[in-house]
Amino acid sequence: MSDSDNSTGKDTGTEGEKPAFKRVMLKISGEALMGDQGYGLHPPTVERIAREVQSVHEMGTEICMVIGGGNIFRGLQGSAQGMERTTADYMGMLATVMNALAMQAALEGLGIFTRVISAIPMDQVCEPYIRRRAVRHLEKKRVCIFAAGTGNPYFTTDTAATLRANEMACEAIFKGTKVDGVYDKDPARFEDAKRYDRVSYDEVLQKHLGVMDASAIALARDNNLPIIVFSLDEPGGFRGILAGEGTYTTVHS
């Protein structure tokens, strides 16, 4: 979908409903786009997630997104199989661009103006990352999908999401997962797993709770940026949290 630079996108704010945050970062894994498949993209799943984003967009919240690439290629796995780590990581970055374009297509199919912004220049398919331009897109109520990680090997998309969230002055990072928060152990394997309502950055690092990688948690802590972990499989979960409802864990200082 093309829109002129003077366009502000759709004015879809829901009257009478004030979201808890004005601008947020939504971080999801590439695996979230697979659905029940073992690899690649599952279009109905991509569309379902796009509708979750649409429901929050309609509240007037400005949305940034970062999507991993593990459904197509994961740099660490490639490295473990003998590929040079730097090359494997760059391949993983390209996978995130493919996922970002798929999400862009789904969102624009719902009438939401969207920009894919890549840390690796590839002008034919997306914009290069320029911070001030990205901020302007958000002000015009366009969803900004940041692709290709930080543009550097050895950094995960978790770190990229935290970096971009800070640069875009987001008020929180929403980490969409398969479970409804942070647990002390895997709830799929242990019936006595305990869910935290709130947990500190330092506890996440000390107890290896696996919310995000250590560099992403440290960057969020240093900038006092809360991380809200919720279930992406719960219909309406993203919107519900912004409306002050739902089950989730907040990682805070």
Side-chain angles (χ1 to χ4, degrees):
M1 176 182 294
S2 65
D3 57 310
S4 71
D5 285 342
N6 292 324
S7 171
T8 58
K10 293 181 73 176
D11 182 10
T12 51
T14 304
E15 189 176 349
E17 187 175 18
K18 275 196 170 183
F21 300 100
K22 182 177 181 291
R23 181 180 296 170
V24 300
M25 166 65 73
L26 174 62
K27 167 61 172 71
I28 61 177
S29 67
E31 288 88 346
L33 305 185
M34 291 192 308
D36 295 328
Q37 302 174 152
Y39 177 83
L41 290 158
H42 184 238
T45 300
V46 177
E47 183 177 345
R48 177 182 63 79
I49 295 172
R51 291 192 181 280
E52 293 285 324
V53 174
Q54 179 191 33
S55 70
V56 171
H57 183 264
E58 288 174 347
M59 297 173 73
T61 298
E62 298 168 4
I63 304 170
C64 306
M65 293 184 71
V66 168
I67 307 171
N71 57 318
I72 299 171
F73 188 88
R74 186 179 291 278
L76 274 175
Q77 289 178 353
S79 177
Q81 294 171 9
M83 186 179 294
E84 184 205 4
R85 172 67 187 271
T86 302
T87 299
D89 279 356
Y90 278 122
M91 291 174 67
M93 291 180 218
L94 296 178
T96 71
V97 177
M98 295 171 68
N99 284 339
L101 291 172
M103 183 58 65
Q104 179 183 44
L107 287 168
E108 294 194 337
L110 298 172
I112 299 171
F113 294 133
T114 310
R115 291 290 186 271
V116 173
I117 301 171
S118 172
I120 299 174
M122 45 185 83
D123 295 347
Q124 284 80 359
V125 295
C126 52
E127 290 186 6
Y129 176 67
I130 300 171
R131 189 188 68 84
R132 291 176 67 89
R133 182 188 291 177
V135 169
R136 187 68 178 128
H137 288 321
L138 291 169
E139 290 171 348
K140 292 182 176 182
K141 305 303 179 185
R142 298 164 183 162
V143 173
C144 288
I145 308 174
F146 296 99
T150 66
N152 302 288
Y154 295 94
F155 289 92
T156 67
T157 51
D158 281 345
T159 301
T162 310
L163 173 66
R164 297 295 183 235
N166 280 304
E167 289 181 299
M168 296 296 106
C170 292
E171 296 173 357
I173 298 175
F174 280 70
K175 176 74 183 285
T177 68
K178 291 187 176 296
V179 292
D180 59 356
V182 178
Y183 287 78
D184 60 351
K185 47 191 165 184
D186 187 352
R189 295 173 52 203
F190 300 97
E191 291 184 4
D192 61 342
K194 171 192 168 187
R195 188 181 66 80
Y196 297 94
D197 286 326
R198 297 174 68 84
V199 63
S200 72
Y201 303 112
D202 290 337
E203 281 183 277
V204 169
L205 293 172
Q206 291 165 6
K207 297 179 180 179
H208 304 285
L209 294 178
V211 177
M212 288 180 161
D213 66 79
S215 59
I217 294 294
L219 183 58
R221 179 191 61 193
D222 293 347
N223 293 277
N224 199 27
L225 181 66
I227 303 167
I228 296 171
V229 183
F230 71 105
S231 173
L232 198 63
D233 294 334
E234 182 69 29
F238 187 21
R239 182 190 180 108
I241 296 168
L242 283 156
E245 305 165 355
T247 303
Y248 55 91
T249 297
T250 303
V251 182
H252 64 104
S253 57

